Every structure is written in C-alpha cells, then in structure tokens.
C-alpha cells in the first residue's frame, strides 16, 4: 500500500509576523495592566496562534483524499476525485494558508480552498497522479509535467 504524502505549508514572513506581533502586543498590554486570569488567557491565545502557524500541513492519502490540518481548529477532508481545478492564487480569504502566493483548489460545487505547500510542484503532481482529470489553470510558470501513471 502506498504511503500518505504529507506537505508542510510555506509561511510568508509578511503574513505571519504582523499577526504574531499584534498578538504579542495585546499580551504585553494585558500583562502590564491586568490580573493573572487575563494574563493566562492572553498567553493561551498567543500560544494557540503560534501553534497554528507551525502546524499547517496538507496530506494526500492512499485513499485519494486531501486532508488539510491547521492547529487545533481547522480540518478539511476533500476527496481528490471531487477536485475540479488548481490555479495559482494570491487571495487568502477564509483560508488556513500562511502565505499569499499559493494555489486555489476548486472542488465539489463552487467550493474553494487556498493552499500554500512548500513543495508546490510535488504537491500538484501528487494531486494529478490521484486524479488526472484535474484542470491546471495558468500553471506555466510551475513547469509541472504530466504525472507518470504507469
């Protein structure tokens, strides 16, 4: 049986740093002006934010499912057969992605998710190997060859 392929997300410093700094600033403000419960809650929120940044990954299972996991809060399970297209994207609306430049995966009926795998070419090749019917939109710059389906 084929092993699951796991891909870490790339993290754009321009996206992660402001969120971490804002959270740290709130934590520092609360630390110097309030009681211990508020300090503890702020610290937990800060730790949760860092954990989410460090624990974002994408996995393509032998059962041909794309799993997207981000920290404790976000989990998405997509059947690769339901993926319609993959296109480069720089939009992060309602997305667990940690960088701006990534891919928009369209699946099922008008559902989309933005992903930012570190090894973009390998990730897209793995999706194509699991579902050769996926349409690649404007992917010339990624130089992705058709997968070897033998």
């Amino acid at each position: 049986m084929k092993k699951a392929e796991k891909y870490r997300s790339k993290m754009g410093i321009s996206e992660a740093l402001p969120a971490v700094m804002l959270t740290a600033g709130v934590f520092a403000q609360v630390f110097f002006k309030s009681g211990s419960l508020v300090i503890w809650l702020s610290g937990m929120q800060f730790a949760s934010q860092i954990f989410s940044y460090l624990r974002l990954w994408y996995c393509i299972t032998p059962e041909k499912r794309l799993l997207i996991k981000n920290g404790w809060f976000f989990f998405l399970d997509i059947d690769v057969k339901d993926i319609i297209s993959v296109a480069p994207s720089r939009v992060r609306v309602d997305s667990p992605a940690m960088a701006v430049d990534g891919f928009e995966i369209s699946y099922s009926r008008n559902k989309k998710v933005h992903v930012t795998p570190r090894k973009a070419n390998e990730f897209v090749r793995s999706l194509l190997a699991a579902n050769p019917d996926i349409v690649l939109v404007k992917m010339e710059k990624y130089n992705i060859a058709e997968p070897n389906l033998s």
Side-chain angles (χ1 to χ4, degrees):
M1 183 176 197
K2 188 178 173 185
K3 191 173 132 181
E5 299 173 42
K6 196 169 182 180
Y7 299 90
R8 298 245 349 166
S9 176
K10 61 182 165 182
M11 183 186 313
I13 191 70
S14 62
E15 291 83 18
L17 191 58
V20 171
M21 295 304 289
L22 178 65
T23 306
V26 169
F27 177 72
Q29 183 73 16
V30 169
F31 180 75
F32 292 114
K33 294 193 176 188
S34 62
S36 61
L37 177 62
V38 177
I39 293 170
W40 184 83
L41 291 174
S42 297
M44 290 303 294
Q45 194 271 337
F46 181 68
S48 175
Q49 185 95 24
I50 297 297
F51 181 75
S52 292
Y53 287 147
L54 298 177
R55 294 288 305 155
L56 176 59
W57 53 262
Y58 314 102
C59 182
I60 301 170
T61 68
E63 296 81 24
K64 298 184 178 181
R65 304 204 58 85
L66 171 61
L67 307 177
I68 301 173
K69 177 81 170 125
N70 183 11
W72 293 297
F73 306 110
F74 188 86
F75 183 81
L76 188 60
D77 182 355
I78 302 170
D79 190 341
V80 176
K81 291 179 223 159
D82 292 340
I83 296 176
I84 300 161
S85 66
V86 176
S89 174
R90 294 186 59 82
V91 177
R92 280 184 16 136
V93 177
D94 293 331
S95 170
M98 293 292 120
V100 174
D101 58 329
F103 301 109
E104 181 180 80
I105 296 178
S106 299
Y107 64 100
S108 296
R109 288 186 178 204
N110 299 321
K111 293 184 180 177
K112 297 178 181 181
V113 66
H114 182 81
V115 298
T116 56
R118 283 186 188 166
K119 298 179 181 178
N121 290 350
E122 290 179 29
F123 177 76
V124 174
R125 281 190 198 110
S126 295
L127 286 176
L128 285 172
N131 180 2
D133 295 331
I134 295 173
V135 176
L136 300 180
V137 180
K138 297 180 183 176
M139 299 287 277
E140 297 82 23
K141 79 173 190 175
Y142 291 97
N143 194 20
I144 297 172
E146 292 297 317
N148 184 3
L149 300 175
S150 55

